[in-house]
Amino acid sequence: MPQPDWHGYLARIGYEGPLDPTLEVLRALCRAHVRSVPFELLDGPDGIKPEIDTQSVFEKVVVRRQGGSCMEVNNLFAALLTSLGYDVTTLAARPWLPQDRAYTETGDHMVLLVRLAGAEWLVDVAYSQLTAVEPLELDGTVRTERGWEFRVLRDGEAFVAQRKGLSGRWAPIHCFTRDPKGAEHFGEIVELYLNPANDSPILHTLMCSRVTPDGKVTLVNDLLIEASEGGAERSSRVETAHAFHQVMETVFAGHPQLAERGTRIRQRLMGDHPPAAPTTEETIV
């Protein structure tokens, strides 16, 4: 199988800096990636089962200029880092569901563990909710980004990623272990949640997000979550076509084809009975 055109990938995310496998370069690549590639789960509602191998995701994200889920985008980013000489392992994280006060049963969120300069770093460039843009060391060190604080704490054999905003309280994002999880595990997740042959709620959910200069914007059906600079977060309902168009322009800036696709999916999903945001473990992030 041919190797992806990594120079094309770097051009896609607008990165023109050095490529040495250093922490500084890793941070810069993370920043470039989240600014350029939106998180989106549009394939499922469109009746498409996504392929998560590196070449397929490269075609989707780089050649066709789309976004993708964690299993697609983080996997592609891991392949890029490996090609540059980084020591990368893909892991399965269990997202925290605030409404259930529990983590998901399955590890349905892919994250990356990068071992570099004698330390271990959590890397994640494809998460629906707000998390750190730059790597987090697995030693409890607090990182501040735009008024939000992030850290990773050890809990026995597991690690918990957390964030703190204006509330002053640390809230869990997800938990994970160092146990490697690759194509077989995430292929099962695709079959469970994103195979049109199964009637998963994700197939009836419009979900997308984008890191913005002020924070992050996440849309789940008609629920808009805005994490802003200074550590604030607010939720609201997108009730009009005009408001939805504005959200699409923000999330899919520079990707008009995705904005059009998202609008079409919304029109089909809404119908006479607007769908509610998923509230069980079938929330794939």
Side-chain angles (χ1 to χ4, degrees):
M1 180 177 295
Q3 285 293 309
D5 172 16
W6 296 123
H7 292 293
Y9 184 8
L10 294 170
R12 167 74 170 93
I13 65 175
Y15 182 79
E16 299 178 345
L19 297 175
D20 307 287
T22 65
L23 180 58
E24 291 72 21
V25 170
L26 178 59
R27 287 170 170 163
L29 287 169
C30 289
R31 292 193 301 268
H33 199 288
V34 299
R35 287 196 298 260
S36 304
V37 180
F39 174 94
E40 50 95 348
L41 281 171
L42 302 185
D43 279 355
D46 253 352
I48 301 170
K49 184 176 76 172
E51 300 292 337
I52 61 174
D53 63 278
T54 301
Q55 189 60 44
S56 296
V57 179
F58 179 89
E59 290 291 325
K60 177 181 179 180
V61 173
V62 178
V63 178
R64 302 202 306 273
R65 290 188 58 80
Q66 299 186 48
S69 68
C70 64
M71 295 175 291
E72 298 168 290
V73 176
N74 273 337
N75 196 34
L76 182 62
F77 195 63
L80 169 68
L81 295 181
T82 300
S83 75
L84 297 177
Y86 288 95
D87 180 356
V88 185
T89 303
T90 56
L91 309 177
R94 296 166 52 209
W96 174 257
L97 301 176
Q99 65 275 9
D100 296 338
R101 305 295 300 171
Y103 295 102
T104 59
E105 291 290 334
T106 55
D108 50 23
H109 176 54
M110 179 185 285
V111 296
L112 309 181
L113 175 65
V114 178
R115 294 179 173 88
L116 179 64
E120 296 177 309
W121 303 84
L122 172 68
V123 173
D124 188 356
V125 294
Y127 196 69
S128 61
Q129 306 296 321
L130 179 69
T131 189
V133 170
E134 298 188 17
L136 295 176
E137 194 167 1
L138 269 60
D139 66 351
T141 299
V142 175
R143 175 168 183 79
T144 302
E145 293 182 358
R146 289 169 293 184
W148 293 87
E149 294 184 6
F150 302 92
R151 67 183 181 185
V152 178
L153 294 183
R154 186 160 189 164
D155 182 10
E157 294 299 314
F159 295 86
V160 179
Q162 299 177 321
R163 70 174 185 178
K164 182 173 72 172
L166 289 178
S167 70
R169 298 187 299 272
W170 285 101
I173 301 172
H174 53 62
C175 67
F176 59 94
T177 70
R178 291 194 185 96
D179 184 25
K181 296 292 184 181
E184 181 177 356
H185 172 83
F186 289 102
E188 293 174 356
I189 299 298
V190 169
E191 291 297 325
L192 180 63
Y193 293 133
L194 298 176
N195 188 338
N198 300 324
D199 193 28
S200 164
I202 295 300
L203 303 178
H204 310 284
T205 301
L206 174 62
M207 186 183 298
C208 54
S209 67
R210 185 75 170 272
V211 171
T212 67
D214 297 324
K216 192 162 193 174
V217 174
T218 300
L219 180 70
V220 183
N221 289 329
D222 64 343
L223 177 64
L224 178 65
I225 305 169
E226 298 173 281
S228 59
E229 188 171 2
E233 184 176 63
R234 71 183 184 94
S235 300
S236 60
R237 294 289 174 180
V238 182
E239 298 179 344
T240 68
H242 176 69
F244 184 83
H245 176 71
Q246 290 182 312
V247 173
M248 290 292 95
E249 284 193 331
T250 299
V251 174
F252 294 130
H255 302 76
Q257 78 281 12
L258 290 179
E260 293 173 6
R261 189 180 177 194
T263 299
R264 174 170 49 78
I265 290 172
R266 174 185 183 267
Q267 292 171 343
R268 186 177 71 249
L269 291 179
M270 292 295 286
D272 295 329
H273 303 284
T279 59
T280 67
E281 67 181 59
E282 288 101 345
T283 302
I284 188 170
V285 289

